[in-house]
Amino acid sequence: MSLDPGGTADVPLALDESWPLVGRDAEVERAATALGATSRAAFAYGASGIGKSRVVQAVGERLADDGWLVLTTSGNPALSAIPLSALAPVLAREPASLVTAAGDPVALFAAASSAVRRLADGRPVLLAIDDVTVADPVSVSLVAQLVEAGVLRLAATVREGDPVPDGLLPLAASADAVRLDLGPLRVEDVAELLTRVLGGVVAHRDVVELHRAAHGNPLFLRELAIGAAEAGSLASRDGLWQLVGDPVGTPALRDLIRARLRGLDDAERDAIERLALCEPLAFDEFARPGAAEALAGLEMRGLVRVDESTPRVRVGLAHPHYAAAVRDSMPRIRAMSLLLDEADLVASRPMDAGDELRVAVWRLDAGRPSDPTLLARCAALARSAHDRRTAERLAAAAVEAGAGDAPTLLLHGELLWSLGRGADALESLDRAQRACLDDGADEMLLAAIGRARADVLGGDPLGTARGLELLESLEVQLPGQSATIGLGKSALQVDLELGTAALASVESVAASLAADAPAGAVLDLASAMPLSLVGRTDEAVEAAQRAVELARRPGSLIAPRRAEVVLAHVLIAADRLEEARGTVVDSLHDAIRDDDELTARIDELTMGRVFWQLGRLDTAARWFRDTVGGAELHGPKSLREFARCFLAIVAAEQGDAAAARAHRERVVPGLEHQSSLAALADAWIDAAEGAADRASARLLDRVDLVLPRGAVTVASTLLHHVARFGSRTHTARAADRLEELAAATGAVEVAGRAAHARAEAEARPGDLRAAAAEWERVGSRLYAAEALASAGRAARADGRGREATADLRQATALAAACEGARTPLLRFAEGTEPLTPREREVASLAAQGLSSNEIAARLFLSPRTVNNHLQSTYGKLGIRGRRELRI
């Protein structure tokens, strides 16, 4: 999965208009191609609302464009007893002759054939029937005869849970029939659909949430989006659409679902209501007489699903919105009664931990919470199951019921922090500390509370130093808890770019930990970031990989997501960008699924960093905007500030100094004192405004500050950016220092930056081409484009015009894939044939893999105009087609 969020902003549709068809190109192409060749029929299958009718409509439009006559009709349950009710209206303006012949099959076929040929006037004919399963039998039989005789071809939708009518079954089962099984839309399809409808990008986490809420069903998605927009819970903020509340469906969605649930008998209704409140339930947890038969009937109608993946067969509703619709229509007293009934039933039998958790939740939902100790224990169980929202509810209920002990308050504080509620978390943790002191000050517990408080403080834009001070003070008070406190210190020291101190903190802890696998995993995880920061990147990657492997084992002390976040960071520092992207994709989707707001924010920022280093500037900016929006809503605010710095850098790299400065001005004052990222943003703004010397001097001063602290990776990155500003004198200084760092660390990525900087400083075409090739190898197209642009200028200065032209054309081709890059090194020399702004825009989208039709829809152009721009681009760049744009 690429996880390229959304797309460019278009003109929005009214939400209640017809939505575009997205994610079905392959099915439409397959059916249209087959029907245009030898296939006689195509049948579309899938759940209600999945888009069967739209696909068949699109197939008809494709064939109509090719000169076919397309006739459309639909089955209707209310008219299914009337002969020819489906077919007669589309075959003749005056269907009396067909109706008159309905009792004589031979005459009926002759009249219908004549009507079709008259309407077709020599054109091939497609009959598109929606809901063919409820068409009247006479129409079905006649259609089968017309298809068999070659008079027309058929495209039909089959209602969910209904069999193909007997008259069409031989046709549907034939070898030349096309079967289209339409499944849910993918996350990326939902992103594209929402972007096109709303006219702007939707935060990726909210795309995932809406995809999950709708189960990828386009109809449910439409009604959820409309309902959320009307309720104000789907809103645009700073150009980014976000869910600021829970997605809610429209009354139409609820009515649609309730219509599907009408006609249930008492036993079926009881089963549906129990599942709506308590799902999933084991098969033997339906105690009402007749439950087995009721469940079988519900399964046949597609209303419930059966899960046999565990020893106990479990039953759940087929769609989560069924549960919401049923709960909304259920009297509260009835709901309470069923919840307590199920709780008592499960509690009457031997229970495992999962059963205890279910019973506690059901009783809480019924307004009769369990005792505080059980609630707290179940909150811990829910957290272990990654259900943070349920865990927080249970912990809050435990506290409200009188659990004022330090462990419960600590648990509640940690859960609040993971959900992004920093202020509430600090309040709970302060209460935990007071309770611990009142109870005799258990040192291990005090250390854990202190570390949690420091983590929350570190989530404040300028709170990292305060968090570190807190831990240093605690270290003096609790010398026996050096391991817990030292690991917390190390993480904050990394954030403050104190590489040497961070590594020393980890090393001081190592001696006090037991030499076993769990402790080794903790040390590997803690040491990876400091090792990366001091330039020992190979060791850092190895440590992080070991931590991830151990974290994925059952019973690990480390959450896999936490280890994956660290691995992604050290992989980025090692220029292993595709590996980093693959790692963070898994972590991000897990975090979104489990409501882990803290990890989701880190992953969003990390995705932005990956795409930034890949040179995908617009895509990177979208991820950074996601981070800003998510941090505004859910925290932590520190990541909001980092994302704003990155947005300033991206805007400057795209040549928009005003936008870059606007982003930078929104960053909290003082961040530049503790983060090199703010200094980098300031330098890039200088460079975008033409002040390359000032930009370079700013970063060189920052290197002088952070290098003595052991922040080698930070320093080498800053020095490489100096080489990108185009100041020959400062670039030579940066190259000198990079070569010193490369020699001291042996880090391959530092050596690569040093080689590029030296080649820029001395304008050596061959070395610049070699640097470009290395950047291409690791995926950094923007850096590769810059090196080739410099190679072209250097070759031209040496009088090697042909080489210069080839270098500059290749640089332009790479830059076209960098989504608007306008860096100082990409200001090409005179004599090349630059792309126009529109050609760059079209080429950038083509390089991302979009088709001409998709580009045309996004830019409001015709496909022919898009192809003309592409042909012009190929000629200017001296390439042969799209493939070379993407190389």
Side-chain angles (χ1 to χ4, degrees):
M1 185 179 296
S2 65
L3 285 188
D4 293 3
T8 57
D10 297 331
V11 177
L13 302 173
L15 283 177
D16 56 358
E17 290 181 11
S18 177
W19 283 26
L21 183 65
V22 167
R24 306 299 190 195
D25 290 348
E27 290 88 349
V28 172
E29 176 68 24
R30 185 161 73 90
T33 301
L35 289 167
T38 60
S39 292
R40 296 179 297 163
F43 293 87
Y45 300 80
S48 176
I50 206 68
K52 302 184 295 293
S53 302
R54 293 296 308 281
V55 167
V56 166
Q57 178 186 348
V59 171
E61 290 169 353
R62 278 282 306 277
L63 294 177
D65 288 342
D66 293 338
W68 286 50
L69 170 65
V70 178
L71 304 173
T72 61
T73 187
S74 64
N76 187 327
L79 301 176
S80 61
I82 301 175
L84 289 178
S85 59
L87 202 54
V90 301
L91 291 186
R93 299 189 180 207
E94 298 179 3
S97 61
L98 293 178
V99 175
T100 301
D104 183 346
V106 175
L108 178 59
F109 174 75
S113 299
S114 176
V116 171
R117 292 189 173 95
R118 184 173 66 254
L119 291 169
D121 193 23
R123 293 172 289 172
V125 180
L126 176 74
L127 176 63
I129 305 182
D130 200 22
D131 287 344
V132 72
T133 50
V134 291
D136 64 281
V138 175
S139 291
V140 167
S141 177
L142 181 55
V143 168
Q145 294 174 46
L146 292 170
V147 173
E148 190 67 32
V151 176
L152 53 75
R153 296 192 174 183
L154 173 67
T157 69
V158 180
R159 273 194 170 193
E160 180 184 16
D162 288 348
V164 174
D166 290 342
L168 291 174
L169 191 55
L171 179 62
S174 66
D176 64 347
V178 177
R179 179 185 175 106
L180 303 176
D181 289 297
L182 302 180
L185 295 177
R186 302 170 301 167
V187 170
E188 45 265 54
D189 297 329
V190 170
E192 180 184 350
L193 182 55
L194 290 172
T195 298
R196 290 174 62 180
V197 170
L198 296 170
V201 177
V202 183
H204 180 75
R205 64 185 172 278
D206 296 328
V207 170
V208 173
E209 176 63 24
L210 286 165
H211 177 270
R212 179 171 56 185
H215 272 210
N217 184 298
L219 175 61
F220 284 8
L221 176 69
R222 181 179 185 275
E223 297 303 320
L224 280 172
I226 292 173
E230 289 176 348
S233 56
L234 178 62
S236 179
R237 296 185 175 182
D238 292 329
L240 180 71
W241 285 91
Q242 300 181 79
L243 282 173
V244 296
D246 292 331
V248 293
T250 62
L253 176 60
R254 291 190 288 274
D255 290 344
L256 177 70
I257 293 170
R258 287 169 185 158
R260 291 209 68 197
L261 300 178
R262 289 194 190 109
L264 301 180
D265 62 30
D266 289 344
E268 290 171 334
R269 169 65 64 177
D270 181 82
I272 287 286
E273 288 177 342
R274 289 176 189 274
L275 287 171
L277 295 166
C278 305
E279 70 171 335
L281 290 172
F283 187 72
D284 60 0
E285 289 172 349
F286 294 87
R288 180 184 173 115
E293 293 79 5
L295 290 171
L298 293 170
E299 184 185 9
M300 287 291 292
R301 279 186 275 176
L303 296 177
V304 301
R305 51 181 171 77
V306 178
D307 179 8
E308 299 183 70
S309 63
T310 59
R312 295 179 73 189
V313 175
R314 296 184 179 273
V315 182
L317 292 173
H319 197 286
H321 287 289
Y322 293 174
V326 172
R327 287 196 302 265
D328 288 346
S329 62
M330 196 185 310
R332 175 60 180 158
I333 298 299
R334 169 70 174 166
M336 292 170 58
S337 174
L338 288 177
L339 285 164
L340 294 174
D341 189 31
E342 284 298 324
D344 291 344
L345 173 64
V346 173
S348 69
R349 305 170 178 178
M351 292 195 294
D352 59 19
D355 292 331
E356 275 197 350
L357 174 57
R358 290 194 298 155
V359 168
V361 171
W362 295 340
R363 287 180 173 158
L364 183 61
D365 288 343
R368 296 187 186 178
S370 308
D371 68 87
T373 302
L374 178 60
L375 286 168
R377 186 166 71 246
C378 289
L381 287 172
R383 181 170 69 168
S384 299
H386 308 297
D387 188 350
R388 284 173 171 75
R389 292 196 183 277
T390 298
E392 192 279 324
R393 279 188 65 218
L394 290 165
V399 172
E400 186 177 351
D405 58 291
T408 299
L409 291 165
L410 169 60
L411 172 64
H412 193 211
E414 290 174 334
L415 288 165
L416 289 166
W417 173 231
S418 72
L419 292 171
R421 296 166 57 185
D424 293 338
L426 273 181
E427 181 182 348
S428 184
L429 292 170
D430 288 342
R431 290 180 62 191
Q433 182 175 336
R434 291 194 297 271
C436 188
L437 292 171
D438 291 343
D439 291 341
D442 179 291
E443 289 195 354
M444 182 178 296
L445 187 55
L446 270 178
I449 295 168
R451 181 170 175 181
R453 291 177 65 217
D455 286 343
V456 178
L457 288 172
D460 183 79
L462 302 177
T464 307
R466 285 188 294 142
L468 183 58
E469 289 172 4
L470 184 155
L471 290 181
E472 288 174 339
S473 172
L474 203 60
E475 197 171 34
V476 174
Q477 300 171 32
L478 306 171
Q481 300 301 313
S482 59
T484 298
I485 297 169
L487 295 178
K489 278 177 55 183
S490 175
L492 295 177
Q493 287 164 334
V494 167
D495 291 342
L496 292 170
E497 300 173 353
L498 305 173
T500 304
L503 192 57
S505 293
V506 175
E507 290 172 345
S508 68
V509 168
S512 63
L513 290 181
D516 56 19
V522 170
L523 280 175
D524 279 333
L525 187 64
S527 63
M529 293 286 280
L531 285 169
S532 176
L533 188 55
V534 301
R536 293 161 60 180
T537 49
D538 287 345
E539 294 175 67
V541 171
E542 290 172 2
Q545 288 173 333
R546 287 194 301 269
V548 168
E549 180 184 350
L550 291 170
R552 290 173 177 168
R553 294 180 181 177
S556 171
L557 298 176
I558 302 170
R561 280 196 300 275
R562 182 180 169 201
E564 288 164 354
V565 165
V566 171
L567 176 59
H569 276 268
V570 299
L571 287 170
I572 291 172
D575 288 334
R576 293 165 62 171
L577 302 178
E578 288 301 331
E579 292 177 69
R581 177 161 58 169
T583 299
V584 77
V585 163
D586 294 338
S587 176
L588 175 61
H589 279 194
D590 285 348
I592 293 171
R593 180 194 65 213
D594 296 337
D595 295 313
D596 185 347
E597 294 290 352
L598 177 60
T599 303
R601 263 339 56 70
I602 295 171
D603 287 338
E604 288 168 349
L605 186 72
T606 305
M607 287 297 294
R609 287 184 58 200
V610 169
F611 281 108
W612 175 58
Q613 287 194 215
L614 288 169
R616 300 276 302 280
L617 299 186
D618 283 339
T619 304
R622 289 198 290 272
W623 281 108
F624 294 138
R625 286 195 295 271
D626 273 15
T627 308
V628 171
E632 287 279 10
L633 291 172
H634 308 294
K637 298 296 189 289
S638 58
L639 298 187
R640 176 192 64 192
E641 305 307 314
F642 296 148
R644 284 175 173 166
C645 287
F646 274 118
L647 284 169
I649 294 167
V650 169
E653 288 182 317
Q654 292 178 321
D656 192 342
R661 194 165 288 284
H663 286 302
R664 179 64 179 89
E665 287 171 354
R666 299 185 69 182
V667 176
V668 63
L671 187 67
E672 63 276 5
H673 299 309
Q674 70 178 44
S675 172
S676 294
L677 189 59
L680 184 60
D682 291 332
W684 265 105
I685 292 170
D686 289 339
E689 293 175 342
D693 287 338
R694 184 168 71 232
S696 300
R698 189 189 295 273
L699 292 190
L700 289 169
D701 287 345
R702 184 71 190 183
V703 169
D704 289 338
L705 178 66
V706 301
L707 199 52
R709 301 173 180 173
V712 173
T713 301
V714 173
S716 67
T717 298
L718 296 177
L719 290 168
H720 182 245
H721 281 278
V722 170
R724 297 178 62 209
F725 294 151
S727 171
R728 187 70 61 83
T729 301
H730 287 100
T731 297
R733 290 181 59 195
D736 290 340
R737 303 196 68 175
L738 280 166
E739 287 167 348
E740 292 171 3
L741 289 177
T745 63
V748 174
E749 66 279 358
V750 178
R753 286 169 170 77
H756 184 191
R758 179 60 63 197
E760 291 282 0
E762 298 183 4
R764 298 195 297 253
D767 291 347
L768 284 162
R769 292 182 198 118
E774 183 59 22
W775 285 126
E776 277 199 83
R777 185 188 68 80
V778 301
S780 294
R781 290 182 180 177
L782 178 53
Y783 300 165
E786 290 173 334
L788 283 167
S790 296
R793 287 192 294 273
R796 174 166 293 157
D798 290 346
R800 289 178 281 179
R802 181 175 297 179
E803 292 180 19
T805 299
D807 288 335
L808 291 168
R809 283 182 171 174
Q810 190 177 354
T812 307
L814 285 169
C818 293
E819 301 175 358
R822 302 286 190 279
T823 62
L825 294 182
L826 292 181
R827 293 168 187 162
F828 301 127
E830 293 180 1
T832 61
E833 192 170 9
L835 303 181
T836 66
R838 180 60 89 183
E839 287 169 346
R840 287 182 183 277
E841 191 172 23
V842 171
S844 177
L845 293 173
Q848 296 175 51
L850 275 69
S851 69
S852 293
N853 287 337
E854 290 170 327
I855 296 170
R858 190 166 290 189
L859 301 181
F860 298 99
L861 302 172
S862 71
R864 178 174 296 180
T865 300
V866 169
N867 288 329
N868 288 340
H869 282 310
L870 287 173
Q871 291 303 319
S872 175
T873 298
Y874 302 153
K876 289 179 179 182
L877 301 182
I879 61 178
R880 290 168 292 184
R882 287 172 178 268
R883 188 184 65 82
E884 293 182 58
L885 271 179
R886 303 175 70 178
I887 293 176

